[in-house]
Every structure is written in C-alpha cells, then in structure tokens.
C-alpha cells in the first residue's frame, strides 16, 4: 500500500505539470509518457525516435511511455518546435568577421649614384608590417645584394623587438659606369631571428632592377616595395670578384676567396678584424690529402709593419677560423692616415715548409674590393662590415 500511494502521488504530480505546460492530453486518466526507467526527474528519449516511427498527424507530436513500461499508443503529447526567436550560435568570432585585409610587409630604401666617384649608395630605411610570431615583437635584419657582381650580401645590424624596424644604414657599390649599372639588379632579403633556433627565418625579398631607376646625379630617389615571399635561389660562385679586374681576376679564380669582417672602434682607437672563413682554396702541389691553411695579418702604418697576428691552422680547402683580432690605431682621423691591412693565406703540409697561396689587401690604396671595404668600415661606426675578397697572387701590389 505505501508503494502504490507513492505511485499515485507521482502520477498526480506529472499530470499537474503537463497541465501547466499546456501541452494538452488526449485522455483524462492517462499518464504523460515521458519516462522509460522510472526516474521522473530526468527527461527520456522519445519512443518514436527509438523505434524509428514517425507520427502521420503532425510533426510536433511524439509518442510517450508510461512509468510501468507499457506503451499507450493513444496518448500523445505535443511538443512545440523551436521557433524563429531561438538564435543559432555562429562559429565565426566577431573579431575575425570584422577584421580587414592583412597588411603585407614593405621595404623602404633610397638609391643615389655619384657620377664623380662612380659609386652606388644604397640606404636601407626601414621595414614595415612584419608578421607576428610567437611573441608580439621580432628581431630582424636586411641583406643587400648587387647581382650578379656581389653574390655574398652586405648586412644591416639587427633591430630588436619591433614589427616596424628602422635601420637607416648605407651600403656602397662601385666603381661602375652608369650604363654598366643599369644591367645590375638589387636584391633585398629580410630575415627574422627565431626564438630558440639556430637558423633565421626568411620573411621576404625585393628584386629591384637598376634599369627601372631614373638616375639623378644631384638627388636621391626613395622607393617602397612590397616583399615577395618567394625566395630566389642564387648560384654558388665567386662572390666578391669584379669582372673589371680582367686578366688578374681570371688568374686568381683558382686561389679561392676570403671572408673578412671589419669594425672601426673610434672611441678606443682600434680596428677589430674577424677572419671568418675561406672557400675553394687552390692547390699548390699534386700531393694527395688536404693541406692545412692559416692566415697571417700584417697591419701597416706609413709603409711599416706596426703589428702582426696569425690564426691557427685548419685542414681542408674550405677552412673556418672565426678568429677575431684587435689592432691599435694612431690617434687622428683614420681616413687621412696611411694605414692598410694585408692578409696572407699560407698553405702547409706535414714535414714540408709553408707556402704562400695568395693575399688580400684592404686600405685606402688597395684594389677596388679592398678600398670599398675600408671606406665602408670608416663610415659605419660601430656596425661591422663584412665582405668576400678574391685571393690575389703573391705578386699583387698596392696601387700608388
């Protein structure tokens, strides 16, 4: 009897709930068939969906089941379908739907050609709208190429924590006549330093043919170009060679090239020299095996040797030394003093005497590549200047 009394109270409560919801009941004494397993507080799955049967009268009617588990096919309850007032959630955030077109990175630079000096001056001003990485700011730099003359680039300093870095650095290329310069192409490549990565990421490049420029010997021209994400593959060849050397250069192509970094520290009155590496060094003998190579640096002042430095010996025809040196400079204007650096590349084998492979001269009276590197070092201040130099035969001498 107590159990039956509980079921009767439960029945009345459910009928009252059905009346309050105004769902309507087809029979006076029939229970709303909303439960299958005797748990009146939880909704049940409609019985019509279980059996795959659909009502033929109206789509809003659903078949219900009694608490005891008996099916009453005559008891139907109406359930209204969701009306137009119910909003459906959108999958696209408002921030994305309202965002405008993404701005592409752009490079800003200035070109000036000095006709008396036959020198092209390239000024890298800035880069705007760099893409964001894992952090909100990036560390970036720009490499400048003059193709096909200088395959190895000149590089700006790294600007840190900025998506719109400003460089304002100048690079000089010469000596070229204006007609010869129109056949060259400037390449600007922008890189960013990745967090916890040994390699820098390529952002984009600008290929700018010099034939597009209307050269004005009295004024510079400023340009803004959008970066292209396609990276141009450069053919590996002698980077610092100049075809104007003629026969002297053609004879030295088998001797290789040397990569040197220079920095003039004006406050300390000294020059920092970094002998980085050499490539494609020539053979002096037919003996098998790879010989050792080292570099001897002589610092001259007024024709006299002021200081001498030497790297360690590295085996192979592509040695990497990566060795820095410091040379003290006499007080005064460095551009008015008779200073120059001589790099002598030595080749040695076991049980044999060292032989001179060739040398590189850098100074105010050096050949063209050495002269440009010296002027660049004097003008750039605390920024390092890096260039490839073709190794000249030992008989090569300074120009008067």
């Amino acid at each position: 009897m107590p159990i039956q009394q509980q079921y009767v109270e439960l029945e009345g409560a459910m009928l009252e709930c059905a009346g309050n919801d105004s769902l309507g009941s087809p029979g006076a004494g029939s229970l709303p068939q909303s439960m299958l397993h005797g748990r009146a507080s939880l909704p049940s799955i409609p019985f019509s969906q279980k059996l795959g049967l659909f009502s033929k009268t109206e789509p809003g009617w659903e078949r219900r089941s009694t608490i005891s588990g008996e099916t009453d096919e005559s008891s139907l309850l109406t359930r209204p379908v969701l009306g137009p007032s119910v909003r459906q959630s959108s999958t696209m955030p408002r921030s994305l739907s309202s965002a405008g077109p993404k701005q592409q990175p752009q490079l800003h630079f200035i070109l000036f050609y000095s006709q008396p000096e036959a020198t092209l001056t390239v000024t890298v001003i800035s880069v705007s709208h760099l893409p964001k990485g894992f952090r909100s700011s990036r560390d970036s730099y720009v490499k400048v190429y003059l193709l096909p003359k200088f395959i190895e680039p000149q590089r700006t300093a790294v600007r840190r924590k900025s998506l719109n870095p400003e460089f304002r650095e100048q690079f000089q290329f010469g000596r070229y006549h204006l007609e010869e310069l129109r056949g060259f192409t400037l390449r600007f490549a922008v890189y960013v330093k990745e967090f916890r990565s040994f390699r820098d990421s390529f952002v984009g490049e600008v290929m700018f043919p010099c034939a597009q420029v209307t050269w004005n010997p009295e004024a510079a021209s400023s340009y803004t170009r959008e970066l292209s994400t396609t990276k141009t593959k450069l053919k590996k060849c002698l980077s610092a060679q100049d075809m104007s050397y003629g026969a002297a250069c053609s004879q030295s192509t088998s001797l290789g090239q040397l990569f040197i970094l220079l920095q003039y520290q004006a406050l300390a009155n000294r020059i920092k020299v970094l002998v980085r590496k050499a490539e494609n060094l020539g053979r002096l003998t037919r003996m098998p095996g790879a010989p050792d190579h080292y570099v001897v640096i002589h610092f001259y002042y007024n024709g006299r040797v002021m200081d001498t430095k030497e790297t360690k010996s590295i085996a192979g025809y592509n040695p990497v030394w990566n060795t820095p040196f410091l040379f003290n400079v006499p007080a005064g204007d460095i551009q008015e003093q008779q200073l120059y650096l001589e790099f002598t590349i030595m080749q040695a084998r076991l049980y044999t005497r060292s032989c001179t492979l060739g040398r590189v001269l850098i100074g105010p009276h050096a050949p063209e590549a050495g002269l440009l590197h010296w002027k660049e070092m004097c003008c750039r201040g605390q920024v390092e200047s890096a260039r490839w130099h073709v190794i000249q035969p030992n008989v090569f001498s300074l120009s008067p």
Side-chain angles (χ1 to χ4, degrees):
M1 288 301 294
I3 298 177
Q4 293 181 0
Q5 181 66 25
Q6 291 178 2
Y7 273 91
V8 170
E9 292 177 359
L10 180 61
E11 176 184 353
M14 294 195 66
L15 284 175
E16 185 180 356
C17 292
N20 293 334
D21 292 338
S22 66
L23 298 177
S25 66
S30 61
L31 290 175
Q33 308 192 13
S34 59
M35 308 302 297
L36 285 178
H37 302 288
R39 244 212 67 131
S41 61
L42 298 176
S44 64
I45 301 175
F47 190 75
S48 60
Q49 294 183 7
K50 278 190 170 185
L51 300 179
L53 302 176
F54 298 92
S55 175
K56 297 182 179 180
T57 56
E58 292 183 9
W61 292 75
E62 294 183 357
R63 193 178 305 274
R64 297 289 177 174
S65 176
T66 60
I67 298 177
S68 61
E70 297 177 0
T71 303
D72 188 2
E73 297 183 0
S74 62
S75 62
L76 298 173
L77 292 175
T78 59
R79 293 184 62 88
V81 187
L82 293 176
S85 62
V86 180
R87 297 182 179 178
Q88 296 182 356
S89 62
S90 177
T91 58
M92 181 173 291
R94 293 182 180 179
S95 60
L96 294 180
S97 60
S98 61
K102 184 179 179 180
Q103 293 180 331
Q104 296 297 325
Q106 291 182 337
L107 175 70
H108 311 275
F109 59 96
I110 295 176
L111 301 181
F112 176 72
Y113 178 74
S114 175
Q115 196 164 4
E117 298 180 0
T119 303
L120 171 64
T121 303
V122 180
T123 306
V124 179
I125 301 298
S126 63
V127 177
S128 58
H129 311 302
L130 282 177
K132 292 183 179 180
F134 293 104
R135 296 178 292 180
S136 59
S137 60
R138 309 296 292 268
D139 302 340
S140 58
Y141 61 91
V142 182
K143 292 182 179 181
V144 184
Y145 303 75
L146 182 63
L147 305 178
K149 292 298 181 181
F150 293 93
I151 302 298
E152 292 297 331
Q154 301 188 51
R155 207 184 95 166
T156 66
V158 178
R159 293 295 180 263
R160 302 191 180 277
K161 298 181 180 181
S162 176
L163 296 179
N164 299 282
E166 291 190 4
F167 301 96
R168 300 189 180 276
E169 296 186 26
Q170 291 185 352
F171 306 94
Q172 292 184 346
F173 300 93
R175 307 179 172 228
Y176 302 110
H177 297 291
L178 193 57
E179 295 299 327
E180 186 181 7
L181 190 63
R182 288 193 175 98
F184 298 157
T185 300
L186 282 168
R187 178 178 183 259
F188 302 88
V190 181
Y191 290 84
V192 294
K193 289 187 170 293
E194 293 295 342
F195 182 64
R196 293 181 179 177
S197 178
F198 293 101
R199 299 188 65 179
D200 300 338
S201 296
F202 173 78
V203 177
E205 68 176 12
V206 172
M207 300 293 291
F208 188 83
C210 295
Q212 298 180 359
V213 184
T214 302
W215 299 104
N216 187 356
E218 298 180 357
S221 303
S222 60
Y223 300 90
T224 298
R225 291 294 184 271
E226 189 174 295
L227 296 182
S228 172
T229 56
T230 304
K231 188 175 182 180
T232 303
K233 293 184 179 180
L234 302 179
K235 186 178 180 182
K236 185 70 176 179
C237 61
L238 290 179
S239 56
Q241 68 177 355
D242 192 338
M243 303 306 293
S244 62
Y245 285 136
C249 183
S250 62
Q251 293 176 3
S252 63
T253 54
S254 60
L255 297 181
Q257 50 274 349
L258 184 66
F259 190 61
I260 303 171
L261 288 85
L262 298 179
Q263 181 188 34
Y264 174 51
Q265 301 174 356
L267 297 178
N269 284 330
R270 62 187 183 186
I271 297 176
K272 175 186 174 182
V273 178
L274 177 64
V275 181
R276 182 69 180 275
K277 60 182 178 179
E279 289 186 359
N280 304 323
L281 296 181
R283 291 175 176 266
L284 296 180
T285 63
R286 296 180 178 271
M287 296 178 60
D292 295 339
H293 293 91
Y294 62 95
V295 180
V296 179
I297 308 172
H298 297 289
F299 180 63
Y300 286 86
Y301 174 64
N302 289 333
R304 298 176 58 185
V305 178
M306 296 288 295
D307 199 355
T308 301
K309 306 287 185 180
E310 183 176 321
T311 67
K312 61 181 180 180
S313 297
I314 301 295
Y317 292 99
N318 298 282
V320 177
W321 296 284
N322 204 24
T323 306
F325 302 99
L326 293 174
F327 295 94
N328 295 321
V329 179
D333 189 359
I334 189 174
Q335 299 188 17
E336 296 180 356
Q337 300 181 16
Q338 298 297 322
L339 302 171
Y340 68 91
L341 292 164
E342 181 186 38
F343 300 83
T344 304
I345 296 87
M346 306 296 294
Q347 190 174 99
R349 290 182 180 272
L350 191 62
Y351 305 120
T352 59
R353 293 182 59 184
S354 299
C355 301
T356 301
L357 178 66
R359 62 177 180 164
V360 171
L361 297 176
I362 299 177
H365 300 292
E368 186 169 353
L371 175 62
L372 287 176
H373 201 173
W374 182 264
K375 289 183 176 180
E376 192 176 274
M377 178 199 68
C378 297
C379 297
R380 297 185 67 178
Q382 297 296 323
V383 180
E384 291 182 344
S385 174
R387 278 183 180 268
W388 283 93
H389 294 266
V390 176
I391 299 175
Q392 303 295 331
N394 197 31
V395 297
F396 196 80
S397 60
L398 288 170
S399 59

